Amino acid sequence: FYCLNVKSGTFFMNYRLMDIIRVYGGIFMKKHWFLLACIMLMTGCQAVNGQILNANESDMPGDFNFLIDYGICGNNRIDTYSGTFTKDLIIAGTETIDFTIPADKMREIYHAFAEYEVSGLPDDINSEIDLNIAGRSYTTHEPYAVYALTYTCNEETRTIVCNDGGPWYADSGPPDTRGRLVAFVTYITEYIYSTEDYKNMSPAEGGYL
């Protein structure tokens, strides 16, 4: 601003970028993107895919839940519907414990869900690979990791699956959609592995070749 006058409790302000409306006892500004950006910086908001997410407020849908089977043969499971976690102990079988993710962490996971655009992934990521393209070679391997996500959000329930064994294009590898799903699952599992509940579980016996 370049001028400020005060007279009888009434404020006048000239501003180069925004129109300011003069009213007795105060000043109101018209909506501008510059103002919105300032508010976002002050309140901790972030914009994800055009949607404003505020980590300080409960903007997560009330029905947001998920179940993820992951790892070799998909033998690990995190299930927020039932509040449990299952660990693959390999030759010793599996172990399941009660495991509830706190509300603030669930909001962070929901923000990651939006950031990785999980709702935009295809139901079967492996089906994106066209095996009929002439001149292209493919790679596969076993045993392979499985990523199977079932989620509920805004009264919609979907399942997204990815078999990490391929086939993938040999010259480009897995598609970007696989990377987004794996990144989302990894975000969650890194939190799980950091908790005392997980650290107190039985160790796995043996290994996969």
Side-chain angles (χ1 to χ4, degrees):
F1 58 88
Y2 58 89
C3 182
L4 175 63
N5 296 317
V6 179
K7 182 179 181 181
S8 301
T10 303
F11 294 84
F12 299 84
M13 183 180 293
N14 294 318
Y15 205 93
R16 294 181 184 277
L17 298 177
M18 292 179 291
D19 299 320
I20 298 178
I21 303 173
R22 170 180 171 250
V23 296
Y24 188 81
I27 298 174
F28 290 85
M29 286 191 269
K30 293 182 178 180
K31 295 180 180 178
H32 288 272
W33 283 108
F34 177 78
L35 175 61
L36 179 59
C38 291
I39 293 174
M40 290 171 64
L41 288 173
M42 290 187 291
T43 60
C45 295
Q46 57 177 319
V48 178
N49 302 327
Q51 178 184 8
I52 297 175
L53 302 177
N54 189 337
N56 299 321
E57 297 179 359
S58 180
D59 56 3
M60 178 184 71
D63 63 350
F64 180 65
N65 277 291
F66 54 85
L67 183 154
I68 302 173
D69 293 323
Y70 69 96
I72 301 299
C73 301
N75 288 335
N76 300 284
R77 169 175 287 189
I78 174 65
D79 184 353
T80 67
Y81 295 98
S82 63
T84 60
F85 175 75
T86 299
K87 179 181 178 180
D88 181 12
L89 304 180
I90 311 178
I91 64 174
T94 61
E95 179 182 353
T96 300
I97 61 171
D98 292 333
F99 191 94
T100 301
I101 300 177
D104 58 342
K105 178 56 67 172
M106 282 292 287
R107 285 193 291 272
E108 292 177 12
I109 291 173
Y110 172 69
H111 292 175
F113 175 88
E115 179 180 359
Y116 291 116
E117 300 180 319
V118 175
S119 62
L121 296 175
D123 293 341
D124 183 355
I125 291 177
N126 291 75
S127 67
E128 290 189 298
I129 304 299
D130 186 351
L131 300 178
N132 298 314
I133 299 178
R136 296 202 74 167
S137 58
Y138 312 92
T139 62
T140 61
H141 67 269
E142 293 183 351
Y144 50 78
V146 170
Y147 300 92
L149 165 67
T150 297
Y151 71 85
T152 300
C153 185
N154 291 322
E155 301 182 351
E156 177 189 24
T157 298
R158 287 186 60 216
T159 296
I160 302 168
V161 297
C162 176
N163 166 1
D164 224 13
W168 307 124
Y169 295 131
D171 57 355
S172 62
D176 173 68
T177 48
R178 178 264 183 194
R180 284 158 50 196
L181 177 61
V182 172
F184 176 65
V185 173
T186 300
Y187 178 85
I188 297 170
T189 56
E190 285 181 347
Y191 160 72
I192 293 171
Y193 298 156
S194 72
T195 64
E196 290 301 317
D197 287 337
Y198 177 83
K199 293 175 182 178
N200 291 332
M201 297 184 76
S202 303
E205 299 180 22
Y208 294 105
L209 300 176

